[in-house]
Amino acid sequence: MSGDFLLAAQILGAAAAEASLSVQVRTPIWPSPPGSPDRAMIRLNSSPFENLDTPRRYDLEVVCDPTLAVIPPMGNALLPGGLLISNAPEPPRVPDNGPRIVSTDLTTLALRHGAPLACALSGAAWAGLGVLASEWNLPLEALEKGARAAMPESPENSVRDLLREAHQRVSLSVAENS
């Protein structure tokens, strides 16, 4: 899964640039030490960044590996009101005061479409960002262009269909759980 999380971050970075947003994509350590979860931080803004420090807390977390979906997520770095998207058929147990969680089996979705898991992860994250920052224009076309830029050799139809289905599943799940 190491390549998938990084590729998803690259797709989101390219998509944000397509949507005329400022973007910063970082990984804390690459490759991650054995036994630690892979993670990438993506920061978006509607204006240029003045501070390029790696943020310590986040509005959105996407968990690639369902065995890593624990509460509190990633060392309690999820901000209040944030959203955790878990790549699992069922969400992890959440305490009453825990974060909002949406769970969908992105791995099975990617296998069904014959496209990389990274596409499902980025489609899910783009939907989550659209919920958290509804004031931004986050069109699916920008995500599709971002995927083509990050993966020029991939079959365009299967990638596009996977991006759209992952986006739709997460959007519907967030709406149902609101």
Side-chain angles (χ1 to χ4, degrees):
M1 282 195 220
S2 296
D4 286 307
F5 95 91
L6 189 55
L7 181 56
Q10 291 168 338
I11 291 169
L12 288 168
E18 285 290 333
S20 300
L21 296 170
S22 294
V23 63
Q24 176 188 20
V25 179
R26 310 278 294 272
T27 58
I29 300 172
W30 181 256
S32 297
S36 67
D38 290 325
R39 59 192 285 212
M41 287 73 66
I42 302 157
R43 224 170 51 150
L44 302 177
N45 203 345
S46 57
S47 59
F49 291 112
E50 294 179 19
N51 174 354
L52 293 179
D53 291 343
T54 303
R56 304 227 183 278
R57 302 204 60 207
Y58 314 98
D59 294 302
L60 175 68
E61 181 175 336
V62 179
V63 179
C64 304
D65 182 344
T67 62
L68 299 176
V70 295
I71 306 301
M74 287 307 255
N76 209 18
L78 194 63
L79 291 165
L83 176 65
L84 172 72
I85 300 173
S86 175
N87 174 22
E90 296 294 323
R93 290 182 45 123
V94 183
D96 290 339
N97 61 348
R100 283 191 302 173
I101 294 183
V102 172
S103 189
T104 190
D105 190 348
L106 298 170
T107 301
T108 299
L109 198 62
L111 290 171
R112 196 175 80 230
H113 282 276
L117 176 61
C119 296
L121 296 169
S122 56
W126 198 248
L129 290 168
V131 168
L132 294 170
S134 58
E135 69 277 8
W136 291 346
N137 180 25
L138 298 178
L140 276 173
E141 293 78 22
L143 182 62
E144 293 166 7
K145 286 181 182 178
R148 282 194 302 275
M151 308 177 333
E153 294 87 30
S154 292
E156 188 172 330
N157 288 343
S158 59
V159 166
R160 182 195 64 232
D161 293 347
L162 177 55
L163 290 168
R164 289 180 180 185
E165 188 171 352
H167 185 276
Q168 181 183 29
R169 282 186 180 211
V170 169
S171 296
L172 290 172
S173 293
V174 169
E176 289 172 2
N177 295 324
S178 293

